[in-house]
Amino acid sequence: LFAIAKPSGPVCMTMLDGIKPLISQSRIFSHPSTIEASQKKGKKHRFRHRPGGIKIGQGGTLDPLADGVLIIGIGKGTKKLQTHLDGPKTYRTTALLGAETDTYDSEGKVVRTAPWKHVTREKIESVLDRFRGEITQLPPIYSALKMDGKPLYEYAREGKSLPRPIEARKVTIHSLKCIDWQDGAPLDGDGPGHHFDFPKAQVSEKDKETMDKVRELVVKEGKVEGVAGETEMEAEAVPEALDECRPPIFKLEMQVSGGTYVRSIVHNIGHAIGSAAHVVHLSRTIQGDYHCDEQPGDPGNCISWSVFERAIEERKGDGPRTEDKKDEEWTAWEEAVL
């Protein structure tokens, strides 16, 4: 087991695919004779990246937007990954007020805007207790949730009932606190304050109708009317225009059980305060014995992804390690793992 400090941007599975050839050709994980035998089988060999049956897995994926601790298991280490999947994790997230998106984060499309000028840090802190302890939670239903391999929106468009109830999950929020509040910078300048903006893409009216049908299906078939945090808007008002300054952001730190959707918590808090909110930044700072980003850019006891990026690029140029290279010193990425 080891952990990578994932940056924001890359897809986790793409990262794993990138390091598989490194793992398969490393003396740490394979005997030199096994490496040589796998090379002779050539590119058509089905398990060319798994000589000797080497397996690779991760202890909980992160969205492309997110950064932080990404635990990697190699070989027998993969058997220990479930403990990390189920165990508590600590996150820090930044949320932007005033807009709800279909994915609950800045990668999605704007579903609606909402008033935000009545919101204060104290108001946010006043609703956090609703989300502490054991709660029932649904994943973001408009983005990736599927049933029998079919997205929920397809059932909605076809006017069909769901094959079975939506599985709302019980999760535990061990701790939840607001750690920062920041006003937005002026729209027409570089003044003080943050510079996060709403996504430019908007959900079409047709898609909004489909999304409403999806929610109706979820509530009807899933029987989750009492899901914690899925409250009605506390304030109904005309959304404020983005006239002078960006809406504020608030930052949360939370320790949660496995399977918790941080995006859903932020989305539900937006409803609870009579506004809307979506995630613009997310970091997993602690998982098991691994930690990173105690200071900006600090990998902690994780390995910086840049170490592997350099190794992947070098491998493209030099080719895999061969038998006559087996007595060389460890490479930079191997030293980092060791």
Side-chain angles (χ1 to χ4, degrees):
L1 289 173
F2 61 90
I4 293 173
K6 177 192 177 298
S8 178
V11 177
C12 287
M13 286 308 300
T14 302
M15 295 171 68
L16 260 66
D17 288 342
I19 66 175
K20 280 179 183 177
L22 302 178
I23 298 296
S24 71
Q25 303 299 324
S26 171
R27 291 172 293 152
I28 298 177
F29 304 105
S30 289
H31 189 274
S33 62
T34 307
I35 295 174
E36 183 181 21
S38 71
Q39 291 172 358
K40 289 180 179 179
K41 291 180 180 179
K43 293 185 177 181
K44 292 184 179 180
H45 180 46
R46 182 181 176 188
F47 299 110
R48 63 186 181 278
H49 296 330
R50 284 179 52 183
I54 290 178
K55 296 185 292 184
I56 182 170
Q58 57 187 348
T61 190
L62 286 168
D63 294 333
L65 172 74
D67 59 45
V69 179
L70 179 65
I71 297 178
I72 305 296
I74 308 294
K76 292 181 180 179
T78 57
K79 296 180 179 179
K80 301 179 182 180
L81 291 175
Q82 193 61 45
T83 301
H84 293 285
L85 283 164
D86 297 336
K89 307 168 183 66
T90 300
Y91 292 93
R92 291 183 192 145
T93 186
T94 301
L96 178 62
L97 285 168
E100 175 183 323
T101 72
D102 55 352
T103 58
Y104 299 177
D105 62 23
S106 58
E107 299 290 293
K109 299 177 181 179
V110 174
V111 176
R112 68 179 180 91
T113 56
W116 68 79
K117 291 181 180 178
H118 66 286
V119 181
T120 62
R121 179 171 181 165
E122 290 72 24
K123 188 169 183 64
I124 290 170
E125 291 174 338
S126 72
V127 303
L128 294 185
D129 200 47
R130 303 184 195 180
F131 304 92
R132 297 184 177 112
E134 186 178 88
I135 65 172
T136 306
Q137 188 183 65
L138 281 174
I141 61 175
Y142 304 136
S143 52
L145 191 62
K146 295 182 179 180
M147 186 168 289
D148 294 343
K150 185 176 180 178
L152 295 190
Y153 63 80
E154 289 191 11
Y155 291 102
R157 287 175 178 171
E158 295 169 4
K160 295 181 178 178
S161 296
L162 300 180
R164 59 185 176 278
I166 295 292
E167 296 180 3
R169 63 182 72 185
K170 287 189 180 296
V171 297
T172 302
I173 313 302
H174 300 288
S175 64
L176 174 62
K177 57 184 178 181
C178 181
I179 59 173
D180 196 14
W181 169 276
Q182 190 174 349
D183 291 323
L187 290 171
D188 58 354
D190 297 322
H194 75 82
H195 287 76
F196 291 108
D197 292 310
F198 294 167
K200 295 187 182 303
Q202 301 277 332
V203 172
S204 68
E205 289 301 320
K206 182 178 180 180
D207 285 339
K208 284 183 182 179
E209 292 177 5
T210 300
M211 290 164 59
D212 288 340
K213 291 178 181 178
V214 171
R215 178 170 289 280
E216 289 174 6
L217 284 176
V218 169
V219 173
K220 177 183 176 182
E221 304 291 346
K223 297 181 176 60
V224 291
E225 293 90 341
V227 171
E230 285 290 348
T231 56
E232 294 297 323
M233 296 285 289
E234 290 184 348
E236 291 293 339
V238 176
E240 283 126 356
L242 284 172
D243 45 12
E244 298 178 356
C245 291
R246 296 168 173 85
I249 58 172
F250 60 95
K251 298 183 181 181
L252 303 173
E253 183 176 76
M254 62 188 81
Q255 186 189 56
V256 302
S257 65
T260 302
Y261 282 87
V262 175
R263 289 177 290 159
S264 291
I265 293 175
V266 168
H267 170 82
N268 294 341
I269 287 173
H271 277 251
I273 59 177
S275 184
H278 65 276
V279 169
V280 293
H281 184 255
L282 177 64
S283 294
R284 183 156 66 202
T285 57
I286 303 174
Q287 185 177 4
D289 295 328
Y290 301 98
H291 62 89
C292 68
D293 203 32
E294 292 183 358
Q295 300 294 328
D298 177 17
N301 62 352
C302 303
I303 303 170
S304 173
W305 174 239
S306 62
V307 173
F308 289 97
E309 281 187 309
R310 287 193 294 270
I312 292 168
E313 288 302 313
E314 289 171 2
R315 184 180 182 279
K316 289 179 181 177
D318 299 338
R321 182 192 295 270
T322 57
E323 179 68 16
D324 61 356
K325 293 183 181 179
K326 67 178 184 296
D327 293 326
E328 290 184 358
E329 295 297 321
W330 299 114
T331 63
W333 80 264
E334 287 173 323
E335 288 183 349
V337 170
L338 290 169

